[in-house]
Amino acid sequence: MEATPPTVQDAPSGPRTLPMTYEEYLAWDEGKGSLVEWVDGEVIVHMPPKPLHQDLVSFLDRLIGAFVDLYALGKLYVSPIEVKLWPDGPSREPDLVFLNNSNRHRITANRIVGAPDLVIEIVSTDSVRRDRVDKYDEYEGVGVREYWVIDNRPGQRRALFHQLAPDGQYQRVTIEEDGVYRSAVLPGFWLRVDWLWQENLNFLPALAELVGPDQLAEALRRTIERP
């Protein structure tokens, strides 16, 4: 009798799953540009993100990316990019992922291998448990030094910031009284949390406030002169 091929399990309001080995996943997804993750012998095919989600991803990509470039701190990537957390572990595609200069060797021609320094996930309706529980445990276990979980859905607005303590466990970092979060991984970078909830997200005023107009001009000059 001819074997029945695996079929995608329907999930009308969420991701779909397809049984597959990691090797099959690599061959199946080659060149397709799909937003997929591989976990425990299954490919997870994610629903397309909504504009509100992508607006925030774009804002953070531009703001953090400009800061990283100005001060030559490392490499920032935006999804889709595969992060193979450990050899037999899952392959995730975080919304944003940063590696500092000392860890750039983890960036290979095909994927990131090992723990990034910073991972940012923007919550979607179908990803609440995945971002707050499953990925939290994975990123903590592999040693991701900083993990942000941001939920900008209407009526939800919540930003959770976690930093890895010396004992290898995540500690929730409290927002300062002025509404600012200060990163441990990006030296000098801080985020005014209210920026995340703006109706018209614009990274330029945020960057000017973050760096300072005079310092921004000087940083740009150094960037131009940098070999």
Side-chain angles (χ1 to χ4, degrees):
M1 180 181 295
E2 187 174 342
T4 302
T7 58
V8 175
Q9 303 300 312
D10 290 332
S13 61
R16 298 171 294 167
T17 60
L18 180 64
M20 200 177 294
T21 67
Y22 180 65
E23 290 71 22
E24 290 171 335
Y25 153 73
L26 292 179
W28 175 78
D29 189 49
E30 184 68 31
K32 293 182 180 180
S34 303
L35 181 58
V36 298
E37 296 180 314
W38 183 87
V39 182
D40 294 333
E42 287 186 333
V43 161
I44 304 170
V45 184
H46 292 283
M47 299 293 290
K50 298 185 184 302
L52 188 68
H53 177 283
Q54 291 303 88
D55 285 345
L56 185 52
V57 169
S58 178
F59 171 78
L60 290 171
D61 179 37
R62 293 179 180 186
L63 177 63
I64 299 172
F67 189 88
V68 166
D69 288 344
L70 282 172
Y71 298 105
L73 298 178
K75 292 284 290 184
L76 179 73
Y77 292 96
V78 65
S79 180
I81 183 169
E82 182 192 356
V83 179
K84 184 65 171 170
L85 292 172
W86 63 89
D88 297 325
S91 283
R92 293 296 189 179
E93 290 194 1
D95 287 311
L96 294 125
V97 57
F98 168 77
L99 294 95
N100 66 27
N101 290 317
S102 64
N103 287 325
R104 289 175 73 137
H105 62 279
R106 296 176 183 173
I107 305 167
T108 72
N110 296 316
R111 61 190 55 84
I112 295 169
V113 178
D117 293 284
L118 167 66
V119 169
I120 303 173
E121 297 284 9
I122 311 301
V123 174
S124 300
T125 301
D126 66 278
S127 76
V128 176
R129 176 182 170 82
R130 187 166 64 248
D131 292 335
R132 293 183 181 173
V133 178
D134 300 340
K135 291 186 178 182
Y136 178 101
D137 291 343
E138 293 168 4
Y139 296 153
E140 180 185 66
V142 80
V144 175
R145 292 167 54 203
E146 197 166 327
Y147 179 38
W148 305 3
V149 183
I150 302 175
D151 190 343
N152 69 330
R153 293 173 299 158
Q156 300 295 327
R157 293 181 175 177
R158 190 180 187 191
L160 305 176
F161 302 96
H162 311 90
Q163 295 178 7
L164 206 64
D167 64 359
Q169 302 293 308
Y170 276 140
Q171 297 295 320
R172 177 88 58 82
V173 178
T174 304
I175 307 302
E176 297 179 2
E177 290 185 2
D178 58 358
V180 163
Y181 167 74
R182 298 186 186 277
S183 172
V185 166
L186 299 166
F189 182 88
W190 53 266
L191 180 77
R192 193 174 300 285
V193 175
D194 283 348
W195 290 342
L196 304 173
W197 321 134
Q198 297 176 89
E199 184 175 350
N200 297 309
L201 291 167
N202 186 339
F203 84 99
L204 288 173
L207 182 65
E209 184 178 347
L210 169 61
V211 178
D214 294 339
Q215 293 86 348
L216 179 56
E218 175 62 21
L220 286 169
R221 184 188 62 78
R222 289 197 303 269
T223 300
I224 293 171
E225 296 175 351
R226 190 180 300 149

